[in-house]
């Protein structure tokens, strides 16, 4: 569960979610979530206890030396950070894609988000595609909000097939009638390694279109 007993006081926040792994080609989705967190001056509120949902052989913890030279372990986690952009409360939930018990994870996380009465829930993803790098990277997706879909230029997806945790959370959000929007940026398959700032920029523009928020 959550290590914090309660959320901070929030008013109809915009909730952004991104996870490493299958839905995070070139790290563009989690990088975009970081941009949102920085713009919102978001600070850590608590961590979702991911221990029940992580296969540590698939997602390894990291060892490091602290400032005193002592060896520490950084465990995979899903962090919850809260802030605001021009008076709009913002929640950024990001971290490692869980590898176990997705139904339980998505249920518990979606239940918590529902208590916030969010004005928007944005699921951020990035994927490799057969597109050139010489043009702006396109953003696709779907939304329960027709005005959001129109502003972002996206249509309801007819995709059927394998999915990741974002797809599971999208369905969980639909079941709770949350105002949920999935935004996926496509980037050339040959830039799949390392960071991809143009993809992050395209995704951030879609976030701004979806929410009306503008970075300071």
């Amino acid at each position: 569960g959550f290590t914090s007993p309660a959320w901070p006081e929030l008013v109809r926040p915009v909730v952004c979610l991104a996870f490493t792994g299958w839905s995070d080609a070139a790290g563009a989705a989690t990088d975009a979530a970081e941009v949102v967190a920085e713009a919102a001056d978001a600070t850590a509120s608590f961590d979702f206890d991911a221990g029940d949902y992580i296969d540590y052989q698939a997602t390894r913890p990291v060892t490091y030396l602290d400032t005193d030279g002592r060896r520490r372990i950084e465990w995979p986690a899903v962090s919850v950070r809260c802030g605001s952009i021009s008076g709009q409360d913002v929640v950024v939930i990001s971290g490692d894609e869980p590898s176990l018990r997705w139904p339980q994870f998505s249920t518990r996380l979606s239940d918590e988000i529902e208590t916030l009465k969010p004005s928007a829930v944005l699921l951020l993803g990035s994927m490799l595609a057969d597109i050139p790098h010489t043009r702006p990277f396109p953003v696709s997706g779907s939304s329960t909000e027709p005005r959001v879909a129109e502003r972002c230029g996206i249509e309801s997806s007819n995709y059927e097939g394998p999915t990741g945790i974002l797809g599971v959370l999208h369905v969980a959000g639909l079941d709770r009638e949350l105002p949920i929007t999935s935004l996926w940026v496509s980037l050339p398959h040959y830039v799949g390694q390392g960071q991809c700032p143009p993809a992050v920029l395209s995704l951030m523009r879609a976030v701004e279109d979806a929410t009306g928020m503008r970075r300071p």
Side-chain angles (χ1 to χ4, degrees):
F2 286 91
T3 57
S4 169
W7 291 83
E9 186 174 347
L10 299 164
V11 178
R12 291 184 54 77
V14 170
V15 181
C16 295
L17 300 99
F19 295 89
T20 63
W22 188 83
S23 59
D24 192 30
T30 49
D31 283 349
E34 289 301 312
V35 173
V36 174
E38 291 176 8
D41 196 21
T43 56
S45 294
F46 51 89
D47 284 345
F48 189 77
D49 183 3
D52 291 338
Y53 311 106
I54 295 293
D55 177 355
Y56 293 118
Q57 289 185 317
T59 306
R60 298 277 179 171
V62 176
T63 181
Y64 68 97
L65 299 178
D66 67 14
T67 55
D68 295 324
R70 289 177 293 194
R71 189 164 297 281
R72 302 292 188 184
I73 298 293
E74 181 179 344
W75 294 95
V78 176
S79 68
V80 178
R81 290 170 288 174
C82 301
S84 65
I85 297 176
S86 300
Q88 170 64 63
D89 285 340
V90 175
V91 176
V92 177
I93 301 174
S94 61
D96 297 288
E97 181 182 57
S99 45
L100 302 169
R101 302 175 65 208
W102 282 11
Q104 293 84 352
F105 177 86
S106 62
T107 295
R108 295 174 72 177
L109 184 54
S110 299
D111 284 347
E112 290 290 337
I113 293 173
E114 186 178 21
T115 67
L116 301 178
K117 296 180 172 57
S119 60
V121 179
L122 305 182
L123 303 175
L124 308 182
S126 54
M127 58 185 173
L128 302 179
D130 186 17
I131 62 169
H133 68 273
T134 53
R135 298 179 181 178
F137 295 166
V139 174
S140 59
S142 61
S143 179
T144 60
E145 308 298 293
R147 291 182 180 178
V148 171
E150 183 179 359
R151 289 199 301 266
C152 295
I154 57 177
E155 299 179 356
S156 295
S157 173
N158 294 320
Y159 173 77
E160 295 178 309
T163 191
I165 193 61
L166 292 186
V168 176
L169 288 169
H170 190 111
V171 172
L174 292 176
D175 290 343
R176 290 162 178 75
E177 298 185 348
L178 294 174
I180 195 158
T181 299
S182 289
L183 298 171
W184 287 76
V185 63
S186 296
L187 53 149
H189 59 84
Y190 48 82
V191 297
Q193 301 296 323
Q195 293 180 307
C196 186
V200 177
L201 179 60
S202 289
L203 200 50
M204 281 307 306
R205 286 173 175 164
V207 169
E208 292 176 346
D209 289 342
T211 62
M213 297 189 304
R214 292 293 183 267
R215 287 167 287 167

